Amino acid sequence: MAGRDGKSLLDNERSRVQPSSSLPTDKDERMTSLKDPVMGLVRASLDPAAQTARKRTESPVCQVVIRAAEADLAAGGADNVNKLAVGAGGAAAAGLTAWLAQERDGDPAVIIAEFEKTAAVHGIPPAPLVPMLKTLLTGPTGMEHTADFMVQLFHDDEEVFYDLIVDLAHYIATCIGLLAAHDISSRDDTLDALDDMLETFFTN
């Protein structure tokens, strides 16, 4: 996840992040701890500063990813960023895409295709976000394809993997905006629905 100066966001922010080492013990607390970082990512994507930050490292969305990556560096693993990616992609983005498609009596593939066209118009590179979203189109087996895609991406280019999480957050914000704009669901109602969706996802 490189900044405009070419340095990794992790390099730029390393001294500012204090990862937490506490681990929940109660089952309900564990479920809360699993979904909360993803909801934090979603809420950060709705923060106006996510669109107006002068530096990429100042974006609230990037800050969420940075904190997760720093915690993983301290722990010697990748659990935090993986949970962000799976929660944002496999649950939130997939659920909102399906919701939009259902309300429009269409197919999720159409929603993703429309997003891809809009991104192209604004000069936004489709990869790796659009290819990842397309792995969700095969029904229940799509989760396995999505997991394989993310694992491979992490091993191929860790920085691009971090960028994917940021892009997923912005895609989720776009879906939330569309649901509100079409009077399908208010922002607050959608956030409540996402919270429930993520709790079910991580419980299962």
Side-chain angles (χ1 to χ4, degrees), residues 27-40:
K27 180 179 179 181
D28 290 339
E29 189 179 352
R30 286 199 300 271
M31 291 307 103
T32 298
S33 93
L34 288 172
K35 71 176 181 178
D36 278 0
V38 182
M39 286 304 299

Side-chain angles (χ1 to χ4, degrees), residues 53-83:
R54 290 178 298 175
K55 295 181 180 179
R56 189 169 173 81
T57 53
E58 295 175 353
S59 165
V61 176
C62 290
Q63 288 294 316
V64 173
V65 179
I66 288 166
R67 286 192 292 271
E70 284 286 354
D72 285 337
L73 285 174
D79 285 350
N80 291 287
V81 291
N82 283 337
K83 287 168 186 172

Side-chain angles (χ1 to χ4, degrees), residues 9-176:
L9 290 184
L10 296 179
D11 292 334
N12 290 337
E13 295 294 303
R14 193 174 301 276
S15 64
R16 295 175 54 184
V17 179
Q18 298 295 327
S20 170
S21 59
S22 60
L23 293 175
T25 55
D26 180 79
K27 180 179 179 181
D28 290 339
E29 189 179 352
R30 286 199 300 271
M31 291 307 103
T32 298
S33 93
L34 288 172
K35 71 176 181 178
D36 278 0
V38 182
M39 286 304 299
L41 183 74
V42 172
R43 293 182 187 281
S45 73
L46 298 172
D47 188 326
Q51 303 297 329
T52 61
R54 290 178 298 175
K55 295 181 180 179
R56 189 169 173 81
T57 53
E58 295 175 353
S59 165
V61 176
C62 290
Q63 288 294 316
V64 173
V65 179
I66 288 166
R67 286 192 292 271
E70 284 286 354
D72 285 337
L73 285 174
D79 285 350
N80 291 287
V81 291
N82 283 337
K83 287 168 186 172
L84 274 183
V86 171
L96 292 178
T97 301
W99 189 357
L100 280 167
Q102 180 180 1
E103 291 293 336
R104 297 170 61 178
D105 295 322
D107 189 282
V110 175
I111 303 296
I112 295 173
E114 289 177 353
F115 176 81
E116 185 175 12
K117 289 179 182 178
T118 301
V121 169
H122 290 88
I124 301 173
L129 176 59
V130 172
M132 189 244 98
L133 292 174
K134 288 180 178 179
T135 66
L136 301 169
L137 299 177
T138 53
T141 59
M143 276 307 301
E144 182 178 348
H145 297 158
T146 303
D148 290 343
F149 180 93
M150 289 184 172
V151 168
Q152 189 62 51
L153 182 63
F154 183 83
H155 286 298
D156 289 346
D157 194 326
E158 197 170 327
E159 295 296 325
V160 175
F161 178 80
Y162 297 145
D163 282 334
L164 171 61
I165 300 174
V166 174
D167 291 342
L168 278 168
H170 290 304
Y171 175 79
I172 291 167
T174 298
C175 290
I176 292 173

